[in-house]
Each structure stands twice: as C-alpha cells, then as structure tokens.
Amino acid sequence: MRPFEYFEPESLPEAVALLERFNGQASILAGGTDLLVEIKERIRLPDQVINIKKIPGLNHLTYDPENGLKIGSLATVREVETSSIVKEKYAGLYQAARELGSIQVRNRATVAGNICRASPSADTLPPLIADNATIHTFGPAGERTMPLENFFTGPGKTVLTEGEILSEISVPSPPPKTGKIYLKLGRRAAMELATVGVAISLTLDGNHCREVRIVLAAVAPTPIRATDAEDLLQGSELIEEILEKAALAARDQCRPISDVRGSAGYRREMVRVLTLRGLRLAIEAAKNGSPYNKISTYQTD
Amino acid sequence: MKCIVSTTINGEQRELAIEPFRSLLDVLRNEAELTGSKKGCDVGDCGACTVIMDGKPVNSCLILGVEADGSEITTIEGLAAETAPGAPLHPLQESILQQGGAQCGFCTPGILMAAKALFDETPNPTEEEARFAIAGNLCRCTGYTKIIDAMMTTAAGEAVR
C-alpha cells in the first residue's frame, strides 16, 4: 500500500483539528472497506489517514419510540442488519444492509461510511431517505443537522465541508400502518452493486395512502426521490390503476446512464417494474407488519 | 515510522513492529509468519483472507495491521484446537476432507473461517443459511456443492474420525 501517516484521535474536536491541519489531504478511516481499496487501487492518495474508531460515543445503535433510531457513525452495517428493532421497524434498511457486500465486509463497513462514500448505487441510502433520516455532523464551524436527502451533490460528492465529520444518523419512528421495502436488482444474488434499487416507505389511512416516500438508486447521479409518483399516490385510494400510474411516473422521472450493469433504457423499465412491485409489497407490509420478522440473520429470503 | 501492535493470534500474545500502511493480511503472512490466510484479490471481493477478529469474520486485506492492536484473532492455523501432527482437526476441516470440499485449496482457509463464524452462532444451520454465510467467499474451482455438503454434514454431526 502507498505509505501514509496514521493518526488515532480520541475526540471529535481532535479529529477535526487534524483534518484542518492537513488541508483536506487526509482521509478518514472508519470501516475502511472502501478507503483501503481506493488507496490500493490509487484512486485516493492520502498522505494521512485518520482512524476515528478510537473516538468514544460514536458506535451506538439505539432506539426509542419517541426519538426513533440513532445510528452512531461507527455502527457497522452488520450491527444494523442483525438488530431486531431494525428488522421490525426499519425493514427497508434491514433488507438493504443484508444486500451490502459480504458478512466479512459488513462486519467492518459502517452505515455512515456508506453515506459519505455517496455512491449512486449505495444500498443503505434509499431506505434511509425513504424513512426521512436526518444526519448530524461535527466540524470546525460546530454542529449541523440536515435531512439525508439534501446531503448528496453527485457521485462521491456531498455537502460535507473540509474538516467536517458525520457523527450520527437519526431515523424517525414509523407511524402505525407503515410498510417498508427495499428491492435491489442485480445480476447475481450476493456481492453485487445495484443495477436499480427502489426503497419505499408507505403509511396507510384505511385504503388510502396517508404518506409515501419512494427513493431510487443507481438511476441518477445521487439517490433521488420519485416525487411525481409520490404526488400521485398521496391521499389517493390505493387501487391497482393508481399504482401503475405511479410506477410509470417513477420511470419517467429517473435519469439513468448506460454502463456495464445495464443500459439506461433497461434501468428505466426496471424502475417501473420494481416501483410497482415495491408498492404492492409495501401496502402488504403496512397491513401485516415487516415481511422479514421470521428470517434468520444468515438466511436469504 | 513503525508502530508496536499487541494482539492475540490463535491464543498466543504477539507484539509486532509494523508500518501503519500495511494490511492485517500482509502482517499475518509476513511479520506473524502465518501464511494460511491467502491473498486472492486483496480488495475484499474473494474472502480468501478471511480471519476471525474479536469473534467476527472479516477480510484481513481490508483492515490495517495497526487496527489489530488489542484484538483477538483466529486464523486457519488456529482453527483446530491442537496443531500437533495427527491431532484432531476441527469438525468443519474434517468434513471438507471427507466430502472433497477442497480442490486447489486456495479458498479453503477463508471458507473454513467464514463457516466457523456461522457455526459459532448457529450450530445447526440450514443449507440456505450456509450459502448466505459464505456468499463473500469465491471458489474459482467452483466447488461450491461439495463445500455446502461439507457444511451440512458438519451441521448434522456426521463428520467424525
């Protein structure tokens, strides 16, 4: 590996001071599963690596009905995946966590790292945005809080400023009669990057849609909300005809590129298919609870 | 500048002087002289470097050696309780032997460590659970059927010497 200086700060202010000292040339190491690959493949050439794992108070994963889910920036994807509360109340995030890399990768990779890497195809981002997650950052100018939805500015690009560190992710508690789903299309079942990902969080009011958020992955420079589809569904009676119209609206709103994983046209059509399928599953889940409650942490579904 | 890393490898306390930009895999293979963990892809895709760190299977190629400070690591060399020639193997190793689960053998250490991590948590896994647990391990001989067979005979307690 290309040589670098290595630091283990013991507090967020210390980490921020180091980042400022090296003028943005330093890289933060949390899980390391992306960073070390990028250093080995010379995609990133940091002269300093700042390991934030020695900072206390960042590895929590807690839930209470009032404040919802709190994911510390050092909580691993595997911890999220194996949490019974995530499985029950954040089923989309649960499914996305299972789809990320391998168990070996998930034991190191953090959800915060998945966010900061800002890949358009990242699995955990669509369900977190669909669940209206908020992120908290710590930086030279103090703390900031913002909706995760506003965090991404392009592939690998975020609104984080120099010296700023993501410290926590908050996800509100779901209202009753909420169904969640994440559907990932890939060329194989495991160790895959999404060709298309669709996350839906939908709350029912009888047979009507009280609230819905649909988020699409790998079909735009950042994860995007299918707002046209959401507008069609909001307040409507959830009959098959409206679901089909919403799926078409999602298809027309995405902006995919063609690459090795699929053509733009194929991706658009798959957005329609997965949105329609996802809406049906989310409605079902809103009525009957999380579809994943009976699945073991080592089982595919 | 070298760092002193203090870690327990296969039950033995080790102090290793290493540069911070070396992967745990390189440190295990070179400084610790444990070459059982293999370097396949070196970027976390193949799982041949899988070791168990503080009870969890991880890709040692995606971890810095310095991050192992204070941790407990089990490599393939520590899988069997005893390492003397002729000493009993771990039941998973025994099953892999009996079922022909190793062809060229390059993926085998990583497969065994990923499988051990599954069995430590779930002693009687279903076939589906076994497949899920080793999804991060590639066998380029494509000998997956025999590997899964070996895991399932271990689950059924059929692997005895």
Side-chain angles (χ1 to χ4, degrees), chain A residues 1 3-4 6 29 36-37 40-41 53 81 98 102-108 190-191 296-300, chain B residues 20-21 23 42-45 50 56-57 59 61-63 66-67 118 121-122 128-129 132-133 135-137:
Chain A
M1 231 180 299
F4 50 74
Y6 176 77
L29 170 73
L36 294 198
V37 173
K40 289 178 190 195
E41 295 185 343
K53 278 203 286 294
E81 172 192 356
R98 295 168 63 79
S102 61
I103 290 175
Q104 288 95 316
V105 166
R106 300 199 289 275
N107 273 330
R108 298 296 292 182
M191 296 291 286
S296 97
T297 57
Y298 274 106
Q299 197 181 340
T300 51
Chain B
F21 46 85
S23 71
D42 206 25
V43 288
D45 287 333
T50 302
K56 298 184 178 83
N59 294 315
C61 74
L62 293 185
I63 298 174
V66 285
E67 294 183 81
L118 163 68
E121 269 180 43
T122 310
E128 207 181 6
E129 289 170 330
F132 188 74
N137 295 79

Side-chain angles (χ1 to χ4, degrees), chain A residues 10-27:
Chain A
E10 284 170 16
S11 70
L12 279 172
E14 200 188 322
V16 168
L18 281 167
L19 287 169
E20 283 198 290
R21 190 171 124 202
F22 299 120
N23 298 319
Q25 298 307 301
S27 287

Side-chain angles (χ1 to χ4, degrees), chain A residues 219-237:
Chain A
V219 290
T222 67
I224 54 162
R225 276 179 70 185
T227 48
D228 293 346
E230 291 173 8
D231 290 346
L232 278 169
L233 294 162
Q234 209 87 42
S236 300
E237 192 182 351

Side-chain angles (χ1 to χ4, degrees), chain B residues 82-148:
Chain B
E82 296 166 61
T83 50
L89 294 170
H90 187 278
L92 279 164
Q93 290 172 304
E94 201 55 59
S95 296
I96 286 273
L97 272 177
Q98 288 181 7
Q99 299 292 326
Q103 290 180 51
C104 85
F106 197 83
C107 75
T108 313
I111 296 260
L112 280 166
M113 299 319 285
K116 175 189 157 48
L118 163 68
F119 278 75
D120 285 350
E121 269 180 43
T122 310
N124 286 298
T126 62
E127 182 176 326
E128 207 181 6
E129 289 170 330
R131 288 183 182 278
F132 188 74
I134 62 163
N137 295 79
L138 294 178
C139 168
R140 286 305 74 179
C141 307
T142 67
Y144 297 107
T145 302
K146 298 292 187 188
I147 292 165
I148 295 295

